[in-house]
Amino acid sequence: MSILTKEEAQAILKKVIGFSKADQCEVTLSGTSGGNIRYARNAVSTAGEISNMSLAVSSSFGKKTGTATVNEFDDVSLEKVVRRAEELAQLSPENPEFMPALEGQTFEEAITYNAETAAMTPDTRAEMVLKSLTVAKEAKLEAAGFLENSNGFRALMNSKGLFAYNKSTNVAFSVTVRNHEGTGSGYVDQSFNNLNKLDTLAQSKIAAMKAVGSVGAKAIEPGKYTVILEPLAASDMINNMFRGFDARSADEGRSFMSKKGGGTRLGEQLFNEQVTIYSDPMNPDLPSSTWNNDGLPVKKTVWVDKGVVKNLSYSRYWAKEKGVAPLPFSRSMIIEGGTQSLEELIKSTEKGILVTRFWYIRSVDPQTLLLTGLTRDGTFYIENGEIKFPVKNFRFNESPVIMLNNVEALGKPVRSGDLLIPPMKIRDFTFTSLSDAV
Amino acid sequence: MKRRNFIYLTGMGAAAAMLPAIPVWGNEIPIEQSLEYVDPAVKKMLSDVALNAARSKGATYTDVRIGRYLNQYVVTREDKVENLVNTESYGIGIRVIANGSWGFAATDKMDKDGIAKAAELAVAIAKENSRLLTSPVQLAEQKGYGEVSWKAPIEKNAFEVPIKDKADLLLSVNAAAMAGGADYVNSILFMVNEQKYFASTDNSYIDQDIHRIWPTFFITKINKETGKFETRNSLSAPMGMGYEYLDAKPEHKIQTAMGVLYKGRYDMVEDAKQGAVQVAEKLKAKSVEPGKYDLVLDPSHLWLTIHESCGHPTELDRVLGYEANFAGTSFLTLDKWESKKFNYGSKEVDIVADKTQVGSLGAVGYDDEGVKCGKWDIIKDGILVNYQAIRDQAHIIGLDHSQGCCYADNWSSVQFQRMANISLQPGKKPLTIADQIKNVDKGIYIVGDGSFSIDQQRYNFQFGGQLFYEISKGKIVGMLKDVAYQSNTQEFWNSCSAVCDERDYRLGGSFFDGKGQPMQSSAVSHGSATARFNGVNVINTGRKI
C-alpha cells in the first residue's frame, strides 16, 4: 500500500486538485517502506521495519501559503486536508519571496528503481548479514555493521497542470571490523540502487584485512604530507564543499564562492585543472530523480570544468532576482578521474599517507571552508611506492578548496554514497595532531 | 534531521535558498491541532492490542510506544518571515523479544488490525534474527508502575502562544541586529512537544508530556573591501521549558565587562543587539598567536566540551562496542572503571548524570523502556566511577537495575541507550567569573560554542567558539579571532584548576545529538559554571584561498 504506481498516484492527486478553491494548489504524495538490521560484537543487536505514506497540500491565496498533510486517503479525508491547507494559508503572513507554481514540464524517466531491491525481506537481510558475520568470526575478529534497504515513491501535481512521478530503491551496507584487543580497525561503506551490486562477503573481507593491517600503528610527526585518499576519504572532504555552489549565498558575500569586492567566483579557475565535476541524473552508476521539489527538470549540469567554476545553483526566486534561469542543485555529483587504480597511485608515491576514511568533520571557517576531522579505520605510511606500516590516526585542518588545488593525480572513480569519486593523490595535506584512537 | 543540516539550514549562507524545502519530522498540521491530546484510555486500549498480539505469536517480552511528536518552527531572515511549519507525527512502535532476540516494527496505521500486524512482524523479525545471536538478550528486572503519568513542569505552553507573537519577536530580534550594523540575520524559534505513551508486559502504562524550546539567531557582517565575513550566533541554550524561557528578568542576567550572559531565561532582542556590536569587533579582532594558554571557558561554551569528552565516552553501549560502526567506541574501557583509580580529571572535576534536572532537555519521569529516572555520579573527585546504562546492559556492569537512559526519537525508531544530562558540578569555594579572569596571566576567555570535532574513542578533540577574549596579566585586553584549542580528554580535564561556584551554574545543550543506525537525534543538556584549564594548546585557524 505504501508504494503506489504512477497511475494510482496520479488518480489520487487529480482528486485532491479537484477539491481546491485556492488561487493555486500544489500536492505532494510520497511513501516509503523498508527495513534494517544492526549488528555488533558479532551478533545482531536491533532490527526493524517501517512503512508510511503521506500527502501534503500547499494552498496559496496571493502570496500567502498554507500546508497541511494527511495519511488517510478516502474522499472525505482528502477534501478535509485541502480545506485545512486553505484555512492555514489565510492565517499565514505574506511571503515576499513567493513564487507562482510552474506550468507543466517534461521529465525523463528516471532509472532509480530496481525490482529485486524493492522485494527485499527480513530473510534477505539476515542472509546478507550472516555472510559478514562469518568473515569476522572465521578471522577471529569482531564485526559491527548496518544493512538498510528502502523502497519509495514520490509524486507532485499542481493546479497549473504539472505532474511528476518517481520511484526509487536503495540498499546501504557498512561494517567496522576490529580485532578483539581493540588495536586494529577497518571499515567499508557502500550504497546502491541495485541489490546485485552489493557483496557483503567481499566488502567484509576488505574491512577485515584493514583491521589486521592496522594493528601496531606507529606514531609519526604531524605536518604536511602527500596523501592518497581512498574514494571514501575523498568524498568525506568533498561532500562538505557543494553547498558553497549556491548562488545566493555567494552573491550575498558569505561563502567561499564570494569574490572580494562583491560578486561571485563563477568563471574563475578555483581548482586544479584535473578537477571536473558534474551531475547527471541518468548516470547508470549514480541515478537520481529527474525533477526537484519545485517540479523543475533536473538535467546533466557541469559545475566545474578543468578547475573553472561553470555553474552555481539558483533557486527560482533568486534566479528571478538576478534575471537568470533557475538551476536546481544536485546531491549526486560525479567527480571525473583518470584510469589509475589505487595500487597504481600508491606505486607512484615516494613518501605519503594512505587514508581509508575521515571522521567527525566539522567546518572551522566558512570563509575558507577550512575543515577539521580525523583519519579512521586504516591509515598507512607509504614509502617508495609501497605501504610500509600502519600509522596512528591524525587530526587534520584542511580546506577541500585548497586540497583540490593540490591535486597530483586522480584515479578511477567509483560510487561512494551520493558521489562517483576517484581516489585522489594530494600534496601538502595538513595534519595538525595525533590521536590515540583506534 | 541531522544536527549539522539544521545548523546549516538556519545559520549559514545557503539558508534562504533551502528553507522552502526544509525537511520536516512529521506531517504538517494546522496550528490548533497541536493543542489536542490523545486520551490515555485510547492509548492503553491500542497498546493492549499490540501486547496481546505479540504474546500470542510467542514474544516473551513486549513494549509499546505510542508517540505524538509535535514540532513548530518559525523561520525568519532580516524583515521576512520565511517559513512557518507545524508538524505532527503519530504512530506506534512495537519492540519484542522472541527466541532471545530483539525485533521491532512500527506503523502509522493506528487501527487494531494495523497494530496487530506490526506486532506480528516484530515477532517474525526477532525469530528470523535469532540465528544471528551469540547469546540471548538479558534484561534487568523492572517492576511495573501500573497506570502513571508525568508532565514537564512548564509555565507557558509554547504551542498556545499565537504565531503572530512569535513572528513579531523574531522580527524585532532581526531589527535589533540590523540596526546595530549587521548585514544579514537569520532567526528561528523551534518548539517541540513529545506526547509519549509507554506500555509493557511488565504492567506499566506510562503517559508523559514533554516540552522543549530553542530560540536562536545567526548574525553575519561582511567587510566588502576585504571580502571577509564573520558570524555571531545566539548565546541562548535549547531548554526543556515552555515559552517562559523567553521572559528574562534581571535575576536571569549576568553582567560582565564583555556583555550580558543568560542564566535559566533568555533575552533574545538584547542578545541580538550586543551580537551586532560583537560581530563587528570580530571582523577587526587580532588573529591569535598559536601556543599554550590558560583557558577560561563559559558554560555557553563548555557544555559542548563536556558533551563530547565526558558524555559520550561514558555511554556504556560505546564502551562495549555497540556503536563501533558509527559513533565509535570509548577510551573509558571497563578495566579503567574496575580499577577505581582512573584519573579522568583533576580533583576539581565532579561530573553527575541527571535525568530529573528541572528545565533540562533530558528530563523525563520515565525513560523509553519504562524505568523511573534518577541521578548518579559519573566522575567523582576526578575518578571514573560509573557509566550510563539501559536494561539489556545493566548486568554487564553488575547493576541489578537500569539507570534509565533509554530513548527513541520517534515512534518509528527503536529505543536504545542515549546520553543523560551530564554536568560538571560547580566549585565549592566562592569564585566569580571576574575572579577567574583576574587570576590568569596569559589566557583566553571563550564564550559560546563553535566548531567541534573529536575522535571515535574520544581522546583527541578540537573546539572553536563564538567570542574569544585575550587575557593578559589578569585583564581582558581585546578580542581574538581564528582560535581553536586542541587537546586530549584526560590531559584537558586534569588541567582543570578552578570552577566558579553555584551562582554561575548554567545549562547549555543540544537538540541534535546524533547516534545510532539509522541515525536518531536526542536532546540533552549539560550544566557547568565558568571553569579554568591550564596550558591548553591553541592553534590559529586562519587560511587563504
Side-chain angles (χ1 to χ4, degrees), chain A residues 306-324:
Chain A
K306 298 189 176 65
V308 177
V309 181
K310 285 290 178 190
N311 273 300
L312 296 178
S313 74
Y314 284 82
S315 66
R316 294 184 61 220
Y317 169 73
W318 200 245
K320 188 190 74 167
E321 290 293 297
K322 292 287 166 184
V324 300

Side-chain angles (χ1 to χ4, degrees), chain A residues 223-239:
Chain A
K224 285 191 187 288
Y225 285 92
T226 292
V227 291
I228 293 175
L229 306 181
E230 292 199 20
L232 192 58
S235 67
D236 288 336
M237 288 297 286
I238 303 299
N239 257 324

Side-chain angles (χ1 to χ4, degrees), chain B residues 77-120:
Chain B
R77 63 173 287 172
E78 294 94 48
D79 57 353
K80 302 178 191 82
V81 176
E82 289 231 299
N83 213 345
L84 199 165
V85 185
N86 224 44
T87 74
E88 175 193 29
S89 173
Y90 181 54
I92 187 168
I94 301 157
R95 184 176 71 151
V96 304
I97 298 176
N99 291 0
S101 173
W102 284 120
F104 177 78
T107 180
D108 58 359
K109 295 274 164 266
M110 295 298 282
D111 53 62
K112 286 183 184 175
D113 188 45
I115 289 171
K117 279 203 177 112
E120 287 164 19

Side-chain angles (χ1 to χ4, degrees), chain A residues 69 176 252 360 362 367 395, chain B residues 27 77 308 325 452 460:
Chain A
T69 74
T176 302
E252 288 179 344
Y360 221 122
R362 288 294 181 276
Q367 180 104 50
R395 170 172 296 288
Chain B
N27 298 330
R77 63 173 287 172
E308 299 290 7
N325 190 47
F452 55 100
N460 172 307

Side-chain angles (χ1 to χ4, degrees), chain B residues 21-241:
Chain B
I22 196 164
V24 292
W25 279 258
N27 298 330
E28 294 178 42
I29 54 162
I31 289 110
E32 68 280 2
Q33 202 175 316
S34 312
L35 304 177
E36 294 165 5
Y37 199 85
V38 181
D39 184 355
V42 172
K43 292 189 269 194
K44 179 171 189 301
M45 184 269 291
L46 295 174
S47 299
D48 284 334
V49 171
L51 296 178
N52 293 331
R55 191 184 286 123
S56 73
K57 290 289 170 184
T60 52
Y61 168 84
T62 304
D63 61 35
V64 177
R65 289 174 303 107
I66 296 178
R68 188 158 177 264
Y69 295 80
L70 302 167
N71 290 289
Q72 184 181 89
Y73 30 101
V74 184
V75 182
T76 72
R77 63 173 287 172
E78 294 94 48
D79 57 353
K80 302 178 191 82
V81 176
E82 289 231 299
N83 213 345
L84 199 165
V85 185
N86 224 44
T87 74
E88 175 193 29
S89 173
Y90 181 54
I92 187 168
I94 301 157
R95 184 176 71 151
V96 304
I97 298 176
N99 291 0
S101 173
W102 284 120
F104 177 78
T107 180
D108 58 359
K109 295 274 164 266
M110 295 298 282
D111 53 62
K112 286 183 184 175
D113 188 45
I115 289 171
K117 279 203 177 112
E120 287 164 19
L121 179 58
V123 176
I125 290 171
K127 287 182 175 171
E128 180 69 54
N129 289 347
S130 63
R131 61 183 165 132
L132 306 176
L133 281 179
T134 44
S135 59
V137 175
Q138 197 178 328
L139 281 190
E141 283 296 311
Q142 181 56 50
K143 71 173 175 102
Y145 297 103
E147 288 181 53
V148 291
S149 68
W150 185 88
K151 269 180 186 301
I154 57 165
E155 289 173 26
K156 196 176 193 178
N157 183 348
F159 286 81
E160 289 173 8
V161 175
I163 290 283
K164 187 179 180 308
D165 293 7
K166 295 167 186 163
D168 287 349
L169 169 68
L170 295 185
L171 291 176
S172 43
V173 164
N174 298 356
M178 297 302 280
D183 286 302
Y184 300 102
V185 55
N186 299 71
S187 63
I188 183 164
L189 251 179
F190 191 174
M191 288 141 289
V192 175
N193 178 206
E194 287 186 359
Q195 300 169 4
K196 309 200 286 196
Y197 191 81
F198 174 89
S200 77
T201 44
D202 292 330
N203 190 36
S204 278
Y205 295 89
I206 303 168
D207 192 41
Q208 300 196 89
D209 188 23
I210 296 139
H211 288 261
R212 298 196 276 271
I213 188 165
W214 186 21
T216 191
F217 63 71
F218 311 86
I219 296 173
T220 305
K221 190 168 175 68
I222 295 165
N223 181 331
K224 294 210 171 58
E225 280 164 36
T226 61
K228 298 274 180 201
F229 62 90
E230 285 288 347
T231 55
R232 161 39 166 101
N233 299 352
S234 157
L235 298 180
S236 64
M239 296 292 286
M241 292 176 74

